[in-house]
């Protein structure tokens, strides 16, 4: 036995601090993370094939009835839902536990504690924190757990043993080994039975065990539990569900053959027998006084049986779920039935009367097939459109799961019920292309989709959450038998203004419709195949006009329409005249198009595993991004068009720097990402994967801190796990992003130095108006001179003397001695210096006067003029001339030195000429000024010449 008790007497540190400590202990953890994108959160996950656990809680004094909690499994994590509003509990408790070592195989609840079976471990959680972990001493995986009093019971995956652990300390109290030929699958505690449990098997038999004495009390053979055990093989007699009824000694047993029995375990007698098409997956007895049994099948149907009438079928809800139903639970004392299925949904059914059919009360659902196409909707980055092979179009909210919904395709439930066919068969074919523009979302339809094997595109309205008014088809106007059915291509586009929708066909037809009225406005003729690609080996079509259009895009000003074809061309049409203006020949077939409106960059995926960027203004290829090891599946631009993110069949998500064309980030995911989309707010990257029904968000590290933009190679690839579902509040989750760079290794983020090169001239980077104002300050003073001088107040309350200088400073109070003359105060004030003069005299005469010029640049033009006028002594004049000389030699603040020099000579030129001791310094300033001015003119001439050469050659 191995017991790992992680609980301790001291309170555990906060989760945020705990993550930092773990990272510091394992320095390799930070190296394994991607450079730009880190896992953040998974969206759209509700439940999987593991049955949920229902718990009701009644609080003292509560008048709104008991509170319902649902515990569902999400792979390696679990989630707790509030049954009243079917929303995640985003309050004080953490509803989703940390990742377990392996996928969860069973769940159980005991008061405030959650028990999870994951591989060979049984883990105990309290408020989302792991407090106890026990392990199977044999190392085998566990398949089923249940809490029985002060013990937790678990079955091994092979069904040969049952383990009993103490719930408080985790000690292994006993182990029960079953007979050969008995494979245990589930455990049930019959009501009022002390220390006794029922164990069901895959052979169709049941055993009654006393867990205290570890003895088998009685064996219920399969012959008595089933009607005709010899009519079918052993593979159809396995017990899949066993539940307690409100009556004592009576249990319900379901089999994979579709048979279910209501059995009296005390009398060893079958009370009634029913049969349901498909294997029984779950059973539930109604507990509010009505004798009704609910059963669910692997086909997604729910059957309601009247036990007072000998098990007569009362109602059959066909297609209640789009997949096998995994659990059925009645809310105690209420006519509400809760079901969950493998279609990633949990539903509540309400019975208005004992004999009426149930109606759907509320539900929470997501895709039940992996989404293959995702796109952000709008500019706020809060909603995602996702299309899946389950034939649905869903809107997933990034902010809150309860705001997610499925776009309505009409009253399909009523049609499916009247025709007695599955609901999924009435849905539209899978979506192959999505385009949206929310500019006119409040006025008319704003989403356009293309579907597999359909001849028309469909419009949708996000505001109404449903299918739009119009279908845009490609059927010719010829009537009669010769009417041609043109299949739709995989390209649609809604213009940026939201007024027009464009769709293409597989034969090269491109039509444009008005989104408001649905009227066809224009057609674009793509023309015959250019002769440059006529000899390519691929067979693109037998007819000259059979040129399949694979991508469509329009510029934001509605001046141009771009269309890519499967034979490897990009065609540019005039939006107004529909004239084909230019055809760009590509080296390979074009699969799709993506236009970034702000930068006018058009990205196309080619069959030669290269992504090519085209400037729509020059209509030339400006970048070729390669290095893929598999076919490129999807691409996305960052909002500022600096990055291009691409996913390919090699399960690697790559990020390219568009200006340089370098690969700056690449990480490998556990499964292939089929579609990606970049948030318009630059904070998240959304991905959809081939083996998951969720949508995953990756936080952009560069949005919250410094990130490295170095080139990476194949050796720098990192294997990254997909994001997990989080149960924190949105504010806490977003604030946690500040910790993404806490333990990162120092990145090589480029910061502009104070001077690029010693041979270059560096300016102050201050506005030009600063120096223009200083040069023309006298003219400005004359223009703004007041007409009348300011009037002195008649009675000033007090007078505080100040020291000379720009910064106002009060003069210290000096008590005058009546026996001494009053000129002492005047001499003291005359000897004081301003901050400007102090910093000037404090500098090294052979230095670069950095501190002095930094202070001078922070002053206003009027303050600088006043400080220059206050240089009245020869020492101050000499020091300032030396400061100008040393600053010119250091090649710094060139325009500031020129301005200071001009104003200084204008103010003190006559004094400098009259004193011979200053003329030597003035001559030195003249020589340095000529040298530096000559260098500046040479640099400017060289730059102008280079610029003229570049302009002349382009």
């Amino acid at each position: 036995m191995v017991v790992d008790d992680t609980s301790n007497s001291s309170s555990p540190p906060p989760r945020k601090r705990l993550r930092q400590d773990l990272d510091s202990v394992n320095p390799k953890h930070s190296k394994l993370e991607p450079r730009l994108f880190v896992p953040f959160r998974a969206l759209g996950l509700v439940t999987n094939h593991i049955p949920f656990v229902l718990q009701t809680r009644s609080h003292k004094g509560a008048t709104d009835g008991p509170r319902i909690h649902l515990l569902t499994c999400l792979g390696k994590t679990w989630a707790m839902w509030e049954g009243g509003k079917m929303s995640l509990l985003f309050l004080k408790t953490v509803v989703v536990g940390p990742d377990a070592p392996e996928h969860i195989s069973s769940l159980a609840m005991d008061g405030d504690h959650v028990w999870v079976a994951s591989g060979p471990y049984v883990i105990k959680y309290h408020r989302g924190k792991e407090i106890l972990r026990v392990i199977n001493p044999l190392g085998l995986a566990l398949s089923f757990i249940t809490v029985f009093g002060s013990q937790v019971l678990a079955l091994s995956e092979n069904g040969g043993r049952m383990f009993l652990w103490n719930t408080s300390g985790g000690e292994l109290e006993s182990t029960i080994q079953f007979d050969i030929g008995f494979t245990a699958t589930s455990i049930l505690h019959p009501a009022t039975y002390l220390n006794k449990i029922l164990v069901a098997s895959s052979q169709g038999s049941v055993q009654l065990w006393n867990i205290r004495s570890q003895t088998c009390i009685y064996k219920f053979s399969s012959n008595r539990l089933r009607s005709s055990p010899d009519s079918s093989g052993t593979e159809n007699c396995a017990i899949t569900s066993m539940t307690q009824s409100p009556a004592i000694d009576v249990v319900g047993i379901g089999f994979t053959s579709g048979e279910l029995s209501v059995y009296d375990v005390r009398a060893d007698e079958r009370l009634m027998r029913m049969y349901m098409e498909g294997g029984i997956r779950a059973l539930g007895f109604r507990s509010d006084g009505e004798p009704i049994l609910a059963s669910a099948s692997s086909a997604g149907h729910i059957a309601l049986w009247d036990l007072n009438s000998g098990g007569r079928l009362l109602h059959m809800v066909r297609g209640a779920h789009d997949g096998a139903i995994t659990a059925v639970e009645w809310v105690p004392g209420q006519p509400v039935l809760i079901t969950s299925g493998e279609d990633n949904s949990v539903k509540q059914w309400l019975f208005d009367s004992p004999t009426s059919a149930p109606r759907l009360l509320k539900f929470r659902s997501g895709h039940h097939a992996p989404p293959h196409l995702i796109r952000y909707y709008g500019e706020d980055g809060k909603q995602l459109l996702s299309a899946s092979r389950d034939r649905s179009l869903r809107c997933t909210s990034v902010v809150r799961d309860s705001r997610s919904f499925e776009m309505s395709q009409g009253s399909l439930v009523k049609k499916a019920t009247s025709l007695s066919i599955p609901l999924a068969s009435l849905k539209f074919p899978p979506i192959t292309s999505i385009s949206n523009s929310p500019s006119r979302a409040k006025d008319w339809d704003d989403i356009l989709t293309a579907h597999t094997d359909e001849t028309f595109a469909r419009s949708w309205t996000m505001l109404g959450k449903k299918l739009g008014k119009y279908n845009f088809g490609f059927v010719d106007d010829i009537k009669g038998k010769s009417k041609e059915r043109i299949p739709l291509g995989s390209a649609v586009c809604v213009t940026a203004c939201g007024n027009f929708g464009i769709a293409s066909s597989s034969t090269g037809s491109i039509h444009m419709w008005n989104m408001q009225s649905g009227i066809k406005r224009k057609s674009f003729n793509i023309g015959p195949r250019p002769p440059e690609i006529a000899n390519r080996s691929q067979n693109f079509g037998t007819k000259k006009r059979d040129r399949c259009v694979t991508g469509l895009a329009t510029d934001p000003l509605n001046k141009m329409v771009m269309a890519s074809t499967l034979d490897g061309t990009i065609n540019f049409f005039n939006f107004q005249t529909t004239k084909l203006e230019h055809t760009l020949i590509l080296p390979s077939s074009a699969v799709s198009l993506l236009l970034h409106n702000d930068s006018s960059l058009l990205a196309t995926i080619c069959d030669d595993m290269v992504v090519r960027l085209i400037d729509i203004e020059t209509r030339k290829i400006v970048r070729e991004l390669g290095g893929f090891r598999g076919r490129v599946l999807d691409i996305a631009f960052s909002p500022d068009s600096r990055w291009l993110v691409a996913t390919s069949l090699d399960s690697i998500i790559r990020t390219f720097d568009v200006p340089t064309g370098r690969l700056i980030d690449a990480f490998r995911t556990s499964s292939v990402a089929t579609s990606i989309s970049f948030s318009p707010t630059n904070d998240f990257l959304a991905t959809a994967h081939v083996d998951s029904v969720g949508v995953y968000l990756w936080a952009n590290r560069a949005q919250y801190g410094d990130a490295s933009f170095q080139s990476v190679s194949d050796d720098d690839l990192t294997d990254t796990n997909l994001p997990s579902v989080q149960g924190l509040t949105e504010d806490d989750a977003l604030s946690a992003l500040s910790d993404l760079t806490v333990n990162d290794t120092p990145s090589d983020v480029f910061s502009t130095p104070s001077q690029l090169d010693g041979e270059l001239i560096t300016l102050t980077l201050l506005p030009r108006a600063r120096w223009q104002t200083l040069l023309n300050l006298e003219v400005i003073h004359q223009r703004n001179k007041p007409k009348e001088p300011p009037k002195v107040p008649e009675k000033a309350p007090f007078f505080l003397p100040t020291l000379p200088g720009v910064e106002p400073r009060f003069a210290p109070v000096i008590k005058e001695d009546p026996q001494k003359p009053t000129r002492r105060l005047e001499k003291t004030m005359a000897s004081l210096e301003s901050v400007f003069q102090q910093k000037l005299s404090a500098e090294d005469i052979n230095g670069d006067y950095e501190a002095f010029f930094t202070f001078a640049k922070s002053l206003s033009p009027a303050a600088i003029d006043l400080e220059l006028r206050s240089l009245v002594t020869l020492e101050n004049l000499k020091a300032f001339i030396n400061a100008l000389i040393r600053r010119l030699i250091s090649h710094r603040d060139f325009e500031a030195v020129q301005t200071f020099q001009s104003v200084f000579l204008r103010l003190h030129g006559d004094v400098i000429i009259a004193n011979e001791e200053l003329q030597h310094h003035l001559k030195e300033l003249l020589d340095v000024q000529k040298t530096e001015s000559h260098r500046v003119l040479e640099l400017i001439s060289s730059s102008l010449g280079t610029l003229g050469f570049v302009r002349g050659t382009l």
Side-chain angles (χ1 to χ4, degrees):
M1 177 189 68
V2 179
V3 179
D4 184 9
D5 190 355
T6 59
S7 62
N8 48 28
S9 58
S10 61
S11 60
R15 292 187 61 192
K16 189 177 295 185
R17 175 66 62 184
L18 182 61
R19 285 201 297 264
Q20 295 175 359
D21 292 341
L22 290 176
D23 292 342
S24 61
V25 172
N26 185 12
K28 295 182 180 179
H29 178 71
S30 60
K31 295 181 181 179
L32 296 178
E33 290 184 352
R35 300 189 179 190
L36 298 183
F37 301 103
V38 292
F40 178 69
R41 191 185 178 195
L43 305 175
L45 298 177
V46 180
T47 184
N48 60 1
H49 63 283
I50 303 300
F52 69 88
V53 179
L54 174 67
Q55 185 186 63
T56 58
R57 294 188 178 186
S58 297
H59 299 277
K60 186 177 180 180
T63 58
D64 55 349
R67 298 185 61 182
I68 303 173
H69 291 168
L70 298 176
L71 187 68
T72 62
C73 177
L74 304 175
K76 290 186 178 182
T77 59
W78 50 268
M80 187 177 293
W81 304 78
E82 197 276 322
K85 297 182 179 180
M86 288 301 296
S87 59
L88 279 173
L89 295 179
F90 284 137
L91 301 178
K92 296 181 180 179
T93 58
V94 179
V95 297
V96 178
D99 283 351
E102 297 182 21
H103 285 277
I104 296 174
S105 57
S106 183
L107 297 170
M109 290 190 69
D110 177 23
D112 293 336
H113 301 100
V114 174
W115 292 86
V116 169
S118 175
Y121 300 99
V122 177
I123 308 172
K124 181 181 180 181
Y125 295 94
H126 178 69
R127 296 187 180 274
K129 297 180 181 180
E130 179 182 337
I131 60 175
L132 179 66
R133 176 178 298 197
V134 298
I135 186 173
N136 184 353
L138 302 179
L140 300 176
L142 303 174
S143 61
F144 183 87
I145 61 171
T146 184
V147 179
F148 182 41
S150 61
Q151 294 177 325
V152 55
L153 312 180
L155 295 176
S156 61
E157 190 177 21
N158 57 10
R161 294 176 183 269
M162 179 171 61
F163 304 95
L164 292 82
W165 285 283
N166 185 278
T167 57
S168 58
E171 295 84 6
L172 181 61
E173 296 185 349
S174 60
T175 301
I176 297 177
Q177 185 173 1
F178 301 107
D179 299 334
I180 299 177
F182 184 87
T183 305
T185 56
S186 61
I187 302 173
L188 174 67
H189 170 234
T192 71
Y193 280 55
L194 183 63
N195 298 327
K196 298 177 182 64
I197 60 171
L198 289 172
V199 182
S201 69
S202 60
Q203 288 77 21
S205 60
V206 178
Q207 294 182 0
L208 180 64
W209 281 80
N210 188 317
I211 60 174
R212 181 175 293 273
S213 62
Q214 302 182 23
T215 57
C216 180
I217 300 176
Y218 192 79
K219 297 182 179 180
F220 303 90
S221 64
S222 177
N223 297 334
R224 299 186 62 84
L225 298 176
R226 302 176 65 239
S227 298
S228 53
D230 298 331
S231 61
S232 59
T234 57
E235 65 275 2
N236 293 326
C237 65
I239 298 177
T240 55
S241 179
M242 188 166 53
T243 184
Q244 173 69 45
S245 72
I248 300 176
D249 303 328
V250 178
V251 297
I253 304 175
F255 299 88
T256 55
S257 59
E259 184 179 354
L260 58 98
S261 299
V262 179
Y263 204 82
D264 189 339
V265 294
R266 177 178 290 273
D268 192 10
E269 178 184 0
R270 189 183 64 199
L271 302 180
M272 57 189 70
R273 176 256 184 192
M274 288 81 78
Y275 180 81
M276 185 178 183
E277 183 180 356
I280 302 296
R281 293 293 297 270
L283 295 174
F285 287 92
R286 188 167 173 175
S287 60
D288 61 342
E290 299 295 333
I292 295 177
L293 171 64
S295 63
S297 70
S298 58
H301 308 322
I302 299 177
L304 301 171
W305 310 91
D306 188 358
L307 301 181
N308 279 346
S309 302
R312 179 179 62 90
L313 180 63
L314 191 62
H315 294 289
M316 174 69 76
V317 182
R318 295 187 177 273
H321 287 263
D322 293 327
I325 299 178
T326 58
V328 170
E329 291 283 350
W330 292 85
V331 178
Q334 298 183 18
V336 177
L337 178 67
I338 303 179
T339 61
S340 68
E342 295 181 357
D343 59 346
N344 192 28
S345 66
V346 176
K347 299 182 179 180
Q348 295 187 16
W349 308 84
L350 177 65
F351 293 79
D352 296 320
S353 66
T355 58
S356 63
R359 61 181 177 89
L360 187 61
L361 179 63
K362 60 189 69 172
F363 66 95
R364 181 73 64 232
S365 63
H367 284 295
H368 60 86
H372 62 276
L373 186 59
I374 58 174
R375 292 292 182 266
Y376 267 96
Y377 175 84
E379 299 297 330
D380 55 359
K382 295 182 179 180
Q383 293 174 310
L384 272 164
L385 292 173
S386 58
S388 171
R389 294 297 176 185
D390 59 6
R391 305 170 134 196
S392 66
L393 176 63
R394 296 188 62 87
C395 175
T396 303
S397 174
V398 177
V399 179
R400 182 165 296 178
D401 292 292
S402 59
R403 298 178 183 175
S404 303
F405 58 89
E406 180 180 351
M407 304 287 281
S408 174
Q409 299 183 11
S411 56
L412 301 182
V413 177
K414 187 179 296 184
K415 294 180 182 179
T417 304
S418 61
L419 298 176
S420 298
I421 59 177
L423 178 65
S425 62
L426 296 178
K427 289 187 175 182
F428 301 146
I431 295 175
T432 57
S433 179
I434 300 178
S435 181
N436 67 87
S437 177
S439 301
R440 306 301 296 270
K442 296 182 179 179
D443 301 324
W444 50 73
D445 301 344
D446 56 335
I447 303 174
L448 195 62
T449 59
H451 300 257
T452 304
D453 298 331
E454 281 196 338
T455 61
F456 49 87
R458 303 178 188 271
S459 64
W460 306 75
T461 168
M462 176 64 76
L463 190 62
K465 304 179 182 179
K466 63 179 181 179
L467 184 68
K469 298 180 180 179
Y470 308 109
N471 294 331
F472 305 134
F474 283 83
V475 181
D476 292 347
D477 296 333
I478 305 175
K479 297 181 179 181
K481 296 182 179 180
S482 60
K483 194 172 183 179
E484 186 177 2
R485 184 178 184 272
I486 303 176
L488 183 69
S490 60
V492 292
C493 178
V494 179
T495 57
C497 61
N499 295 319
F500 302 100
I502 307 175
S504 63
S505 70
S506 60
T507 59
S509 301
I510 302 175
H511 298 330
M512 183 173 68
W513 294 268
N514 188 282
M515 295 291 290
Q516 179 184 11
S517 61
I519 300 175
K520 179 181 175 182
R521 293 300 186 188
K522 297 177 182 180
S523 296
F524 301 88
N525 184 14
I526 203 169
R529 186 175 298 114
E532 293 85 354
I533 62 174
N535 298 326
R536 289 186 178 178
S537 59
Q538 291 91 342
N539 184 16
F540 295 112
T542 56
K543 300 180 181 179
K544 291 184 178 181
R545 67 180 183 88
D546 287 349
R547 303 183 61 195
C548 180
V549 178
T550 58
L552 288 173
T554 60
D555 66 319
L557 299 179
N558 287 350
K559 293 182 177 180
M560 194 184 312
V561 176
M562 288 75 70
S564 62
T565 59
L566 192 60
D567 51 18
T569 62
I570 304 293
N571 302 272
F572 297 86
F573 297 91
N574 187 288
F575 189 92
Q576 303 298 332
T577 63
T578 71
K579 179 183 178 181
L580 179 62
E581 296 181 345
H582 182 73
T583 299
L584 177 63
I585 307 299
L586 299 178
S588 180
S589 301
V591 178
S592 65
L593 281 183
L594 178 64
L595 176 67
H596 190 273
N597 291 331
D598 296 338
S599 63
S600 299
L601 286 178
L602 183 69
T604 176
I605 301 175
C606 298
D607 268 346
D608 57 354
M609 295 186 294
V610 175
V611 178
R612 293 176 169 85
L613 300 183
I614 303 166
D615 186 359
I616 64 174
E617 299 295 336
T618 62
R619 298 171 184 176
K620 294 181 180 180
I621 300 176
V622 295
R623 290 289 184 274
E624 289 188 351
L625 309 177
F628 300 95
R629 302 175 185 173
R631 186 166 61 91
V632 183
L633 300 178
D634 200 6
I635 54 177
F637 276 109
S638 62
D640 56 359
S641 74
R642 184 174 181 85
W643 297 346
L644 179 74
V645 187
T647 176
S648 56
L649 276 178
D650 54 7
S651 191
I652 299 176
I653 298 178
R654 296 175 172 86
T655 304
F656 295 90
D657 186 67
V658 174
T660 61
R662 295 183 294 113
L663 179 67
I664 59 176
D665 183 55
F667 61 95
R668 183 184 292 106
T669 56
S670 57
S671 60
V672 178
T674 56
S675 182
I676 59 176
S677 183
F678 216 115
S679 171
T681 55
N682 201 38
D683 49 1
F684 296 115
L685 175 70
T687 61
H689 296 262
V690 69
D691 60 350
S692 177
V693 296
V695 177
Y696 298 91
L697 295 181
W698 306 77
N700 181 9
R701 187 189 293 266
Q703 184 78 356
Y704 304 96
D706 295 335
S708 174
F709 298 135
Q710 275 188 340
S711 298
V712 298
S713 60
D714 294 340
D715 298 334
D716 300 326
L717 290 178
T718 57
D719 295 331
T720 307
N721 295 326
L722 297 181
S724 60
V725 181
Q726 294 183 356
L728 304 175
T729 60
E730 286 81 0
D731 296 336
D732 294 340
L734 292 177
S735 64
L737 290 175
S738 60
D739 300 330
L740 295 180
T741 58
V742 171
N743 298 300
D744 289 345
T745 56
S747 57
D748 59 337
V749 180
F750 177 78
S751 60
T752 304
S754 57
Q755 192 169 10
L756 297 178
D757 190 358
E759 298 299 326
L760 298 179
I761 298 297
T762 304
L763 304 181
T764 59
L765 301 181
L766 293 177
R768 183 181 179 183
R770 173 77 63 88
W771 316 119
Q772 294 292 336
T773 303
L774 181 58
L775 290 173
N776 303 291
L777 195 60
E778 293 184 359
V779 178
I780 297 175
H781 285 169
Q782 292 294 333
R783 184 177 57 192
N784 298 333
K785 185 177 180 180
K787 297 181 180 179
E788 297 180 0
K791 295 181 180 180
V792 180
E794 298 179 358
K795 294 182 180 180
F798 57 88
F799 176 77
L800 296 179
T802 58
L803 299 178
V806 177
E807 296 182 357
R809 295 182 300 166
F810 294 108
V813 179
I814 301 177
K815 296 182 179 180
E816 298 183 5
D817 191 353
Q819 298 179 358
K820 295 182 179 181
T822 58
R823 294 183 180 180
R824 182 176 179 182
L825 178 61
E826 298 178 359
K827 294 180 180 179
T828 303
M829 295 183 62
S831 61
L832 295 177
E833 295 181 344
S834 65
V835 178
F836 184 86
Q837 298 173 2
Q838 292 176 1
K839 289 186 175 294
L840 178 62
S841 59
E843 290 285 348
D844 183 12
I845 59 175
N846 296 323
D848 57 356
Y849 286 79
E850 177 66 28
F852 169 72
F853 275 89
T854 301
F855 173 75
K857 289 186 293 185
S858 65
L859 301 178
S860 63
I864 297 175
D865 183 78
L866 179 60
E867 293 289 1
L868 293 180
R869 293 177 183 273
S870 65
L871 301 176
V872 294
T873 64
L874 297 181
E875 292 297 329
N876 289 339
L877 297 177
K878 179 181 177 181
F880 189 77
I881 295 175
N882 185 65
L884 296 178
I885 295 173
R886 302 307 302 175
R887 202 60 176 174
L888 283 175
I889 295 176
S890 65
H891 305 161
R892 302 283 299 277
D893 300 334
F894 185 79
E895 80 276 29
V897 172
Q898 300 301 313
T899 305
F900 292 162
Q901 178 179 284
S902 177
V903 176
F904 176 75
L905 294 178
R906 186 174 67 241
L907 295 175
H908 306 287
D910 53 349
V911 178
I912 296 174
I913 295 175
N915 295 273
E916 296 182 357
E917 58 269 25
L918 297 178
Q919 294 181 5
H920 172 71
H921 297 282
L922 186 62
K923 183 179 180 182
E924 184 180 358
L925 176 62
L926 178 60
D927 296 338
V928 175
Q929 172 68 24
K930 290 182 179 179
T931 303
E932 296 302 323
S933 300
H934 182 68
R935 292 183 66 257
V936 171
L937 292 177
E938 285 185 350
L939 292 174
I940 294 176
S941 301
S942 177
S943 301
L944 292 177
T946 304
L947 182 61
F949 174 77
V950 172
R951 287 180 175 177
T953 55
L954 292 180

